[in-house]
């Protein structure tokens, strides 16, 4: 997550989430479990639905992390507007499934889409996080399902300006 402009003709969610929520259970198949003080997020559905579940289930954490990242990137000289503009340049090269997922995260967490995309771009541009990932699927797993793991090596100086928590 995260989440990846002085153009303030912002795009809006591809779905009216309140209407969609009445017609579909957006949270179906999504839940959080905790093991050894580690939250494990389970999400399911279409890309918008998975994003919605992610945003809804991790709302508090997302609010803290977004505040922390945007504060950090601002101190590094990257304004909110500049980050949003960079996203709108990049968005045309981003698969619509990922854009829908970002809209879902925003709607589920009750955060503006612009905050989600500015945070996403801050991660990309500010070098906030380096990571390593590995995935296996099909013949590489016992049942053919997708298994994915990712480690995040992030700077420990990114602090939420309201709660004081490290990201």
């Amino acid at each position: 997550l995260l989440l990846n402009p002085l153009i303030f003709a912002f795009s809006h969610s591809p779905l009216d989430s309140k209407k969609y929520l009445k017609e579909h259970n957006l949270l179906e198949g999504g839940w959080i479990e905790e093991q050894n003080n580690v939250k494990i997020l389970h999400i399911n559905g279409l890309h918008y639905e998975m994003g919605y579940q992610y945003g809804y289930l991790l709302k508090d954490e997302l609010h803290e992390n977004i505040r922390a990242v945007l504060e950090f990137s601002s101190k590094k000289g990257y304004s909110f507007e500049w980050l949003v503009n960079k996203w709108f340049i990049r968005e045309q090269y981003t698969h619509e499934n990922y854009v829908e997922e970002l809209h879902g995260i925003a709607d589920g967490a009750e955060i503006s889409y612009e905050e989600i995309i500015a945070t996403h771009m801050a991660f990309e541009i500010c070098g906030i996080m380096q990571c390593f990932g590995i995935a296996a699927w099909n013949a590489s797993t016992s049942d053919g399902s997708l298994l994915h793991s990712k480690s995040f090596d992030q700077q420990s100086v990114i602090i939420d300006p309201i709660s004081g928590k490290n990201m």
Side-chain angles (χ1 to χ4, degrees), residues 73-130:
S73 62
S74 175
K75 287 179 180 177
K76 292 283 190 182
Y78 300 102
S79 73
F80 179 83
E81 294 80 12
W82 188 85
L83 292 167
V84 172
N85 276 322
K86 291 300 176 196
W87 166 257
F88 285 120
I89 292 168
R90 176 185 248 189
E91 184 178 35
Q92 65 183 317
Y93 304 106
T94 305
H95 195 281
E96 65 187 49
N97 291 343
Y98 300 117
V99 174
E100 288 177 19
E101 190 170 332
L102 292 171
H103 279 290
I105 292 170
D107 290 345
E110 297 177 349
I111 297 173
S112 74
Y113 178 67
E114 293 73 30
E115 289 173 287
I116 294 291
I117 60 175
T119 303
H120 176 72
M121 292 310 297
F123 273 95
E124 296 288 325
I125 292 170
C126 299
I128 290 173
M129 188 175 290
Q130 307 298 317

Side-chain angles (χ1 to χ4, degrees), residues 131-158:
C131 63
F132 169 80
I134 187 168
W137 63 94
N138 292 337
S140 299
T141 63
S142 62
D143 64 357
S145 65
L146 171 67
L147 299 176
H148 179 260
S149 177
K150 191 173 192 178
S151 71
F152 295 112
D153 301 321
Q154 66 189 31
Q155 301 180 30
S156 62
V157 296
I158 303 173

